[in-house]
Coordinates of all heavy atoms in Angstrom, one line a residue:
M18 N -134.2 -58.8 60.4 CA -134.6 -59.9 61.2 C -134.0 -61.2 60.7 O -133.8 -62.1 61.5 CB -136.1 -60.1 61.2 CG -136.8 -58.9 62.0 SD -136.2 -58.7 63.6 CE -137.4 -59.6 64.6
A19 N -133.6 -61.3 59.4 CA -133.1 -62.5 58.8 C -131.7 -62.8 59.4 O -131.3 -64.0 59.5 CB -133.0 -62.4 57.3
F20 N -131.0 -61.8 59.9 CA -129.7 -62.1 60.5 C -129.8 -62.9 61.8 O -128.8 -63.5 62.2 CB -128.9 -60.8 60.8 CG -129.6 -59.9 61.8 CD1 -129.2 -60.1 63.2 CD2 -130.5 -59.0 61.5 CE1 -129.8 -59.3 64.1 CE2 -131.1 -58.2 62.5 CZ -130.7 -58.3 63.8
L21 N -131.0 -63.0 62.4 CA -131.2 -63.8 63.6 C -131.1 -65.3 63.3 O -130.9 -66.2 64.2 CB -132.4 -63.4 64.3 CG -132.5 -62.0 65.0 CD1 -133.8 -61.8 65.5 CD2 -131.4 -61.9 66.0
L22 N -131.3 -65.6 62.0 CA -131.3 -67.1 61.7 C -129.9 -67.6 61.4 O -129.7 -68.8 61.3 CB -132.1 -67.3 60.4 CG -133.6 -67.1 60.5 CD1 -134.3 -67.2 59.2 CD2 -134.2 -68.1 61.5
F23 N -128.9 -66.7 61.2 CA -127.6 -67.1 60.9 C -127.0 -68.1 62.0 O -126.4 -69.1 61.6 CB -126.7 -65.9 60.8 CG -125.2 -66.3 60.5 CD1 -124.9 -66.8 59.2 CD2 -124.3 -66.1 61.5 CE1 -123.6 -67.1 59.0 CE2 -123.0 -66.5 61.2 CZ -122.6 -67.0 60.0
P24 N -127.0 -67.8 63.3 CA -126.4 -68.7 64.2 C -127.0 -70.1 64.1 O -126.3 -71.1 64.1 CB -126.6 -68.1 65.6 CG -126.9 -66.7 65.3 CD -127.5 -66.6 64.0
A25 N -128.3 -70.2 64.0 CA -129.0 -71.6 64.0 C -128.6 -72.2 62.7 O -128.3 -73.4 62.7 CB -130.5 -71.4 64.0
T26 N -128.6 -71.5 61.6 CA -128.2 -72.1 60.3 C -126.7 -72.5 60.3 O -126.4 -73.6 59.8 CB -128.4 -71.1 59.2 OG1 -129.8 -70.6 59.2 CG2 -128.1 -71.7 57.8
F27 N -125.9 -71.8 60.9 CA -124.4 -72.1 61.0 C -124.3 -73.4 61.8 O -123.6 -74.4 61.3 CB -123.7 -71.0 61.7 CG -122.2 -71.3 62.0 CD1 -121.3 -71.4 61.0 CD2 -121.9 -71.7 63.3 CE1 -120.0 -71.8 61.2 CE2 -120.6 -72.0 63.6 CZ -119.6 -72.0 62.6
W28 N -124.9 -73.5 62.9 CA -124.7 -74.7 63.7 C -125.4 -76.0 63.1 O -124.9 -77.1 63.2 CB -125.3 -74.6 65.1 CG -124.5 -73.6 65.9 CD1 -124.9 -72.4 66.4 CD2 -123.1 -73.7 66.3 NE1 -123.8 -71.8 67.0 CE2 -122.7 -72.6 67.0 CE3 -122.1 -74.7 66.1 CZ2 -121.4 -72.3 67.5 CZ3 -120.9 -74.5 66.6 CH2 -120.5 -73.4 67.4
L29 N -126.5 -75.8 62.4 CA -127.1 -76.9 61.7 C -126.2 -77.4 60.6 O -126.1 -78.6 60.4 CB -128.5 -76.4 61.1 CG -129.3 -77.5 60.4 CD1 -129.8 -78.5 61.4 CD2 -130.5 -76.8 59.7
L30 N -125.6 -76.5 59.8 CA -124.7 -76.9 58.8 C -123.5 -77.6 59.3 O -123.0 -78.6 58.8 CB -124.3 -75.7 57.9 CG -125.3 -75.1 57.0 CD1 -124.8 -73.8 56.4 CD2 -125.7 -76.1 55.9
L31 N -122.9 -77.0 60.4 CA -121.7 -77.6 60.9 C -121.9 -79.0 61.5 O -121.1 -79.9 61.3 CB -121.2 -76.6 62.0 CG -119.8 -77.0 62.7 CD1 -118.8 -76.9 61.6 CD2 -119.5 -76.1 63.8
F32 N -123.0 -79.2 62.3 CA -123.1 -80.4 63.0 C -124.0 -81.5 62.4 O -124.1 -82.6 62.8 CB -123.6 -80.2 64.4 CG -122.5 -79.5 65.3 CD1 -122.7 -78.2 65.7 CD2 -121.3 -80.2 65.6 CE1 -121.7 -77.6 66.5 CE2 -120.4 -79.6 66.3 CZ -120.5 -78.3 66.8
F33 N -124.7 -81.1 61.3 CA -125.7 -82.0 60.7 C -125.4 -82.2 59.2 O -125.1 -83.3 58.7 CB -127.1 -81.6 60.9 CG -128.1 -82.5 60.3 CD1 -128.4 -83.8 60.9 CD2 -128.8 -82.2 59.2 CE1 -129.2 -84.7 60.4 CE2 -129.7 -83.1 58.6 CZ -129.9 -84.3 59.2
I34 N -125.4 -81.2 58.4 CA -125.3 -81.3 57.0 C -123.9 -81.7 56.6 O -123.7 -82.6 55.8 CB -125.7 -79.9 56.3 CG1 -127.1 -79.5 56.7 CG2 -125.5 -80.0 54.8 CD1 -128.2 -80.4 56.2
L35 N -122.9 -81.0 57.2 CA -121.5 -81.3 56.8 C -121.1 -82.8 57.1 O -120.5 -83.4 56.2 CB -120.5 -80.3 57.5 CG -119.1 -80.4 57.1 CD1 -118.9 -80.1 55.6 CD2 -118.3 -79.4 58.0
P36 N -121.3 -83.3 58.3 CA -121.0 -84.8 58.5 C -121.8 -85.7 57.5 O -121.3 -86.7 57.1 CB -121.4 -85.0 59.9 CG -121.4 -83.7 60.6 CD -121.7 -82.7 59.6
L37 N -123.0 -85.3 57.3 CA -123.8 -86.1 56.3 C -123.2 -86.1 54.9 O -123.1 -87.2 54.3 CB -125.3 -85.6 56.3 CG -126.3 -86.4 55.6 CD1 -126.4 -87.8 56.2 CD2 -127.6 -85.7 55.5
L38 N -122.7 -85.0 54.5 CA -122.0 -84.9 53.2 C -120.7 -85.7 53.2 O -120.4 -86.3 52.2 CB -121.8 -83.5 52.8 CG -123.1 -82.7 52.5 CD1 -122.7 -81.2 52.2 CD2 -123.8 -83.2 51.3
I39 N -120.0 -85.7 54.3 CA -118.8 -86.5 54.4 C -119.1 -88.0 54.3 O -118.4 -88.7 53.6 CB -118.0 -86.2 55.7 CG1 -117.5 -84.7 55.6 CG2 -116.9 -87.1 56.0 CD1 -117.0 -84.2 56.9
V40 N -120.1 -88.4 55.0 CA -120.5 -89.9 54.9 C -120.9 -90.2 53.5 O -120.6 -91.3 53.0 CB -121.7 -90.2 55.9 CG1 -122.2 -91.5 55.7 CG2 -121.1 -90.1 57.3
L41 N -121.7 -89.3 52.9 CA -122.1 -89.5 51.5 C -120.9 -89.6 50.5 O -120.8 -90.5 49.7 CB -123.0 -88.4 51.0 CG -123.6 -88.6 49.6 CD1 -124.5 -89.8 49.6 CD2 -124.4 -87.3 49.2
L42 N -119.9 -88.8 50.7 CA -118.6 -88.8 49.9 C -118.0 -90.1 50.1 O -117.5 -90.8 49.2 CB -117.7 -87.7 50.3 CG -116.3 -87.7 49.8 CD1 -116.4 -87.4 48.3 CD2 -115.4 -86.7 50.4
Y43 N -117.8 -90.6 51.4 CA -117.0 -91.8 51.6 C -117.8 -93.1 51.1 O -117.2 -94.1 50.9 CB -116.8 -92.0 53.2 CG -115.5 -91.4 53.6 CD1 -115.3 -90.0 53.7 CD2 -114.4 -92.2 53.9 CE1 -114.2 -89.5 54.1 CE2 -113.2 -91.7 54.4 CZ -113.1 -90.3 54.4 OH -111.9 -89.8 54.8
S44 N -119.1 -92.9 51.0 CA -119.9 -94.1 50.4 C -119.6 -94.4 49.0 O -119.8 -95.4 48.5 CB -121.4 -93.9 50.7 OG -121.9 -92.9 49.8
F45 N -119.0 -93.4 48.3 CA -118.7 -93.6 46.9 C -117.2 -94.0 46.7 O -116.8 -94.2 45.5 CB -119.0 -92.3 46.1 CG -120.4 -92.1 45.9 CD1 -121.1 -91.1 46.6 CD2 -121.2 -92.9 45.0 CE1 -122.4 -90.9 46.3 CE2 -122.5 -92.7 44.8 CZ -123.1 -91.6 45.5
L46 N -116.4 -94.1 47.7 CA -115.0 -94.4 47.6 C -114.9 -95.9 47.7 O -115.7 -96.6 48.2 CB -114.2 -93.7 48.7 CG -114.3 -92.2 48.6 CD1 -113.4 -91.6 49.8 CD2 -113.8 -91.6 47.3
Q47 N -113.7 -96.4 47.2 CA -113.5 -97.8 47.3 C -112.8 -98.2 48.6 O -112.1 -97.4 49.2 CB -112.5 -98.2 46.2 CG -113.2 -98.1 44.8 CD -112.2 -98.6 43.7 OE1 -111.0 -98.8 43.9 NE2 -112.8 -98.8 42.5
R48 N -113.0 -99.5 49.0 CA -112.4 -100.0 50.2 C -111.0 -100.3 49.9 O -110.6 -101.0 48.9 CB -113.2 -101.2 50.6 CG -112.7 -101.8 51.9 CD -113.4 -103.1 52.3 NE -114.7 -103.2 51.8 CZ -115.5 -104.3 51.9 NH1 -115.0 -105.3 52.5 NH2 -116.7 -104.3 51.4
G49 N -110.1 -100.0 50.8 CA -108.7 -100.3 50.7 C -108.3 -101.5 51.5 O -109.1 -102.1 52.2
T50 N -107.0 -101.9 51.4 CA -106.6 -103.0 52.2 C -106.5 -102.5 53.7 O -106.3 -101.4 54.0 CB -105.2 -103.4 51.8 OG1 -104.3 -102.3 51.7 CG2 -105.3 -104.0 50.4
Y51 N -106.7 -103.5 54.6 CA -106.7 -103.3 56.0 C -107.7 -102.2 56.5 O -107.4 -101.5 57.5 CB -105.3 -102.9 56.5 CG -104.3 -103.9 56.0 CD1 -103.3 -103.6 55.1 CD2 -104.3 -105.2 56.5 CE1 -102.4 -104.5 54.7 CE2 -103.4 -106.2 56.1 CZ -102.4 -105.8 55.1 OH -101.5 -106.7 54.7
G52 N -108.8 -102.1 55.8 CA -109.8 -101.1 56.3 C -109.6 -99.7 55.8 O -110.4 -98.8 56.3
G53 N -108.7 -99.5 55.0 CA -108.4 -98.1 54.5 C -109.4 -97.7 53.4 O -110.3 -98.4 53.1
V54 N -109.2 -96.5 53.0 CA -110.1 -96.0 51.9 C -109.2 -95.6 50.7 O -108.2 -94.9 50.9 CB -110.8 -94.7 52.4 CG1 -111.6 -94.1 51.2 CG2 -111.8 -95.2 53.5
V55 N -109.5 -96.0 49.5 CA -108.8 -95.6 48.3 C -109.6 -94.5 47.7 O -110.8 -94.6 47.4 CB -108.7 -96.8 47.3 CG1 -108.1 -96.4 46.1 CG2 -108.0 -98.0 48.0
W56 N -109.0 -93.4 47.4 CA -109.7 -92.2 46.9 C -109.9 -92.4 45.4 O -109.4 -91.7 44.6 CB -108.9 -91.0 47.2 CG -109.0 -90.6 48.6 CD1 -108.2 -91.0 49.6 CD2 -110.1 -89.8 49.2 NE1 -108.7 -90.5 50.8 CE2 -109.8 -89.8 50.6 CE3 -111.2 -89.1 48.8 CZ2 -110.6 -89.1 51.5 CZ3 -112.0 -88.4 49.6 CH2 -111.7 -88.4 51.0
S57 N -110.8 -93.4 45.1 CA -111.2 -93.6 43.7 C -112.7 -93.8 43.7 O -113.2 -94.7 44.4 CB -110.5 -94.9 43.2 OG -110.9 -95.2 41.9
F58 N -113.4 -93.1 42.8 CA -114.8 -93.1 42.8 C -115.3 -94.5 42.3 O -114.8 -95.1 41.3 CB -115.3 -92.1 41.8 CG -116.8 -92.0 41.7 CD1 -117.6 -91.4 42.6 CD2 -117.4 -92.6 40.5 CE1 -119.0 -91.4 42.5 CE2 -118.8 -92.6 40.4 CZ -119.6 -92.0 41.4
S59 N -116.3 -95.1 43.0 CA -116.8 -96.4 42.6 C -118.3 -96.5 43.1 O -118.7 -96.0 44.1 CB -116.1 -97.5 43.3 OG -116.6 -98.7 43.2
L60 N -119.1 -97.1 42.3 CA -120.5 -97.4 42.6 C -120.7 -98.9 43.1 O -121.8 -99.4 43.1 CB -121.4 -97.2 41.4 CG -121.5 -95.7 41.0 CD1 -122.3 -95.6 39.7 CD2 -122.2 -94.9 42.1
E61 N -119.5 -99.5 43.4 CA -119.6 -101.0 43.7 C -120.4 -101.2 45.0 O -121.2 -102.2 45.0 CB -118.2 -101.5 43.9 CG -118.1 -102.9 44.3 CD -116.7 -103.4 44.5 OE1 -115.7 -102.5 44.4 OE2 -116.5 -104.5 44.9
S62 N -120.3 -100.4 46.0 CA -121.1 -100.6 47.2 C -122.6 -100.5 46.9 O -123.3 -101.3 47.5 CB -120.7 -99.5 48.3 OG -119.3 -99.7 48.5
Y63 N -123.0 -99.6 46.1 CA -124.4 -99.4 45.8 C -124.9 -100.6 44.9 O -126.0 -101.0 45.1 CB -124.7 -98.1 45.2 CG -124.6 -97.0 46.2 CD1 -123.5 -96.2 46.3 CD2 -125.6 -96.8 47.2 CE1 -123.4 -95.2 47.3 CE2 -125.5 -95.8 48.1 CZ -124.4 -95.0 48.2 OH -124.3 -94.0 49.1
S64 N -124.1 -101.1 44.0 CA -124.5 -102.2 43.2 C -124.6 -103.5 44.1 O -125.5 -104.3 43.9 CB -123.6 -102.5 42.1 OG -122.3 -102.9 42.5
L65 N -123.7 -103.7 45.1 CA -123.8 -104.8 46.0 C -125.0 -104.7 46.8 O -125.7 -105.7 47.1 CB -122.6 -104.9 46.8 CG -121.3 -105.3 46.1 CD1 -120.1 -105.2 47.1 CD2 -121.4 -106.7 45.6
L66 N -125.4 -103.6 47.3 CA -126.6 -103.3 48.1 C -127.8 -103.6 47.3 O -128.8 -104.2 47.8 CB -126.6 -101.9 48.6 CG -127.7 -101.5 49.5 CD1 -127.6 -102.3 50.8 CD2 -127.7 -100.0 49.8
Q67 N -127.9 -103.2 46.0 CA -129.0 -103.4 45.2 C -129.3 -104.9 44.9 O -130.5 -105.3 44.8 CB -128.9 -102.6 43.9 CG -130.1 -102.7 43.0 CD -129.9 -101.9 41.7 OE1 -128.8 -101.3 41.5 NE2 -130.9 -101.9 40.9
F68 N -128.2 -105.6 44.6 CA -128.4 -107.0 44.2 C -128.1 -108.0 45.3 O -127.8 -109.1 45.0 CB -127.5 -107.3 43.0 CG -127.8 -106.4 41.8 CD1 -126.9 -105.4 41.4 CD2 -129.0 -106.5 41.2 CE1 -127.2 -104.6 40.3 CE2 -129.3 -105.7 40.1 CZ -128.4 -104.8 39.6
Y69 N -128.2 -107.6 46.5 CA -127.9 -108.5 47.7 C -129.0 -109.4 47.9 O -130.2 -109.1 47.8 CB -127.8 -107.6 49.0 CG -127.6 -108.4 50.2 CD1 -126.4 -109.0 50.5 CD2 -128.6 -108.6 51.1 CE1 -126.2 -109.8 51.6 CE2 -128.5 -109.3 52.3 CZ -127.3 -109.9 52.5 OH -127.1 -110.7 53.6
E70 N -128.7 -110.7 48.1 CA -129.7 -111.8 48.3 C -129.5 -112.3 49.7 O -128.4 -112.8 50.0 CB -129.5 -112.8 47.2 CG -129.9 -112.4 45.8 CD -129.8 -113.6 44.8 OE1 -129.7 -114.7 45.2 OE2 -129.7 -113.3 43.6
A71 N -130.5 -112.3 50.5 CA -130.4 -112.8 51.8 C -130.4 -114.3 51.8 O -131.1 -114.9 50.9 CB -131.5 -112.3 52.7
Q72 N -129.7 -115.0 52.7 CA -129.7 -116.4 52.7 C -130.5 -117.0 53.8 O -130.6 -116.5 54.8 CB -128.2 -116.9 52.7 CG -127.5 -116.5 51.5 CD -126.0 -116.9 51.6 OE1 -125.6 -117.5 52.6 NE2 -125.3 -116.6 50.6

């Protein structure tokens, strides 16, 4: 009976978990010039978010 869960699990992974992981990966990359992405790991975005002061 467990094989009946495979299609639902497959679609859930494909359309929900995988895009979420891609967004998470991109959140740790650095911003490039002209809106590009530099494939270098950085925590800068999260530090800016943590220490952001509203005006």
